[in-house]
Amino acid sequence: MRLTRRNALVAAAFALATVSGLGGGMYLAGSRHGAAPDIPGLLWPQPKAIGHFALVDDHERPFDRGRLAGKWSFLFFGFTHCPDICPTTLATLANVAARLHAPVGGAPYQYVFVTVDPQRDTTAHLAEYVDYFDERFIGVRGDDEALAEFTRQLGVVWFRGEPDEEGRYLVDHTAAVMLVDPEVRLVGVFSAPHDAADIAARTARIRAFLEGGQRS
Amino acid sequence: MSGPGASSRGRLGATTAAVIPALILAAALAGAAAEVLLEVTDAWITEPPPGSTLAGGYLAIANRDNRVRVLERVTSPDVARIELHRTEVVEGLARMREVQSIELAPAATTRLAPGGYHLMLHLEGDRPHAGEELALELHFDGGETLAVTAEVRRRGDNAVHHHHP
């Protein structure tokens, strides 16, 4: 499946409506966690449960729902032929990784870059690309259908421009970084522009809120 | 405005000796002013990740002119193609588009920076590494050009590093 511009715009509108709907719910009271704190980007009390998806990581291992369970995951969607915002965001996430440390015995953090350009971003290329930013980063890909199964659950959209005479094309994509909790729920959306200290601070607050709620 | 040149000074003779230093000073000032109406600083390009032939380029252009100037294109003897680009985030969607030129507002500094206007360099051959330098030539309206040296840097060099004792 190839997203046409029209389809992508419809998908974008739907996704934005979904995400803003989720965000709009954050002020509703009533959960085992108590009232949601005012943390920009926190999707609470209506986080989005993530269901089945089947992608592959940069070591050719399955990357599915089980790979998100038990971890705090940052997800970012982009493509390696993107010279500005994608590498900028990955460098920012490397900075976030240097700031955030999971408590001893607590769920670890993981950082996942999902390509929206699997035709050009082969597994091998993806591996060396993400390793350049941080060796802990995981590159993930899948065909358009598998990718869409994942992205539509997150409100993430992308669409590819028409190739020029040399076959080069650009891909528009959601700029936000997504935060998924160990119960595999989308709990945070960090909109661009990104600041590492800010993302780390908000993540620590979201984690403290959700983990605190689980202990009470 | 036309500043006095060497030929006009040559015709003055010795009659107004006191004027000559003033004219030389005026010529020097006019020359200096012409040189710094457009000034480029902080030029750097990103070290491309392995396997990538693309680099982003960033710089700041101070336009001290009293009119809008235009950056029309950028070239380099070491780069196959350089495009002017702009990244925009519209309703959460990141889009990158080629632009034909970049307008430089008068009496202001225009920054090409991550997430906004930038250069997109299509490299050939060995990828440049952090610490190396690349020659760029900026072409402005009216045929004016400026040669600058851009340093190759690794992105995120401002990241926090762990050097705890």
Side-chain angles (χ1 to χ4, degrees):
Chain A
M1 182 194 79
R2 177 141 181 163
L3 277 180
T4 64
R5 180 167 297 253
R6 177 185 293 269
N7 285 345
L9 286 174
V10 170
F14 174 75
L16 287 168
T18 305
V19 169
S20 51
L22 290 170
M26 66 183 271
Y27 296 105
L28 298 176
S31 81
R32 59 182 170 152
H33 303 276
D38 185 12
I39 305 171
L42 170 64
L43 303 181
W44 201 264
Q46 293 175 302
K48 175 79 170 68
I50 300 171
H52 176 269
F53 66 93
L55 299 166
V56 176
D57 76 8
D58 53 4
H59 295 282
E60 302 279 9
R61 293 178 301 222
F63 191 91
D64 53 17
R65 192 178 180 283
R67 294 284 296 272
L68 298 176
K71 292 176 177 163
W72 287 87
S73 304
F74 290 91
L75 308 177
F76 178 63
F77 297 79
F79 63 116
T80 70
H81 284 68
C82 156
D84 186 49
I85 198 161
C86 303
T88 299
T89 305
L90 288 171
T92 300
L93 283 177
N95 192 325
V96 171
R99 292 167 184 272
L100 275 181
H101 302 282
V104 175
Y109 291 102
Q110 68 178 354
Y111 300 82
V112 182
F113 175 72
V114 184
T115 178
V116 293
D117 188 16
Q119 285 87 342
R120 288 186 294 189
D121 292 342
T122 62
T123 303
H125 179 48
L126 202 52
E128 64 179 359
Y129 185 80
V130 297
D131 281 357
Y132 173 78
F133 293 95
D134 192 311
E135 289 178 355
R136 293 166 290 187
F137 283 9
I138 302 167
V140 167
R141 67 188 291 281
D143 63 25
D144 283 357
E145 204 169 324
L147 181 61
E149 184 182 31
F150 189 40
T151 55
R152 68 172 165 249
Q153 299 188 57
L154 298 164
V156 167
V157 296
W158 83 95
F159 60 88
R160 302 188 188 113
E162 289 300 313
D164 66 11
E165 62 277 7
E166 294 167 44
R168 303 180 314 137
Y169 56 90
L170 296 168
V171 189
D172 297 349
H173 55 88
T174 295
V177 170
M178 308 287 165
L179 180 66
V180 176
D181 80 350
E183 295 178 38
V184 199
R185 302 174 300 187
L186 177 64
V187 295
V189 177
F190 302 116
S191 304
H194 297 118
D195 175 80
D198 173 58
I199 289 177
R202 281 195 273 162
T203 300
R205 288 186 64 201
I206 290 172
R207 180 170 187 159
F209 165 64
L210 291 178
E211 292 185 341
Q214 278 156 10
R215 280 197 295 272
S216 63
Chain B
M1 187 188 91
S2 62
S7 59
S8 64
R9 273 210 310 279
R11 286 196 299 271
L12 282 172
T15 50
T16 51
V19 174
I20 291 172
L23 285 175
I24 291 172
L25 180 62
L29 287 172
E35 278 166 25
V36 298
L37 279 180
L38 289 171
E39 188 182 18
V40 177
T41 53
D42 299 334
W44 65 285
I45 74 159
T46 59
E47 179 184 70
S52 176
T53 57
L54 292 173
Y58 306 104
L59 45 84
I61 306 170
N63 176 13
R64 300 202 181 87
D65 212 333
N66 56 10
R67 62 194 169 96
V68 171
R69 299 298 305 272
V70 180
L71 175 64
E72 295 182 333
R73 62 194 175 94
V74 179
T75 57
S76 167
D78 304 319
V79 182
R81 179 152 100 187
I82 301 178
E83 295 166 358
L84 304 178
H85 275 249
R86 182 179 194 179
T87 298
E88 294 175 309
V89 179
V90 180
E91 308 231 332
L93 205 61
R95 308 189 312 180
M96 193 173 69
R97 292 291 180 269
E98 184 172 2
V99 296
Q100 294 310 306
S101 60
I102 297 174
E103 286 202 353
L104 309 169
T109 297
T110 301
R111 291 180 195 284
L112 278 61
Y117 282 118
H118 58 276
L119 308 178
M120 179 152 146
L121 292 80
H122 296 264
L123 303 163
E124 285 178 342
D126 296 337
R127 68 187 185 100
H129 290 86
E132 296 175 3
E133 291 182 336
L134 197 79
L136 296 177
E137 189 152 54
L138 279 63
H139 302 258
F140 298 95
D141 57 303
E144 188 177 341
T145 62
L146 275 180
V148 300
T149 301
E151 186 190 352
V152 181
R153 292 185 207 158
R154 203 181 158 109
R155 263 180 216 273
D157 274 351
N158 54 346
V160 288
H161 296 291
H162 288 273
H163 296 302
H164 301 304

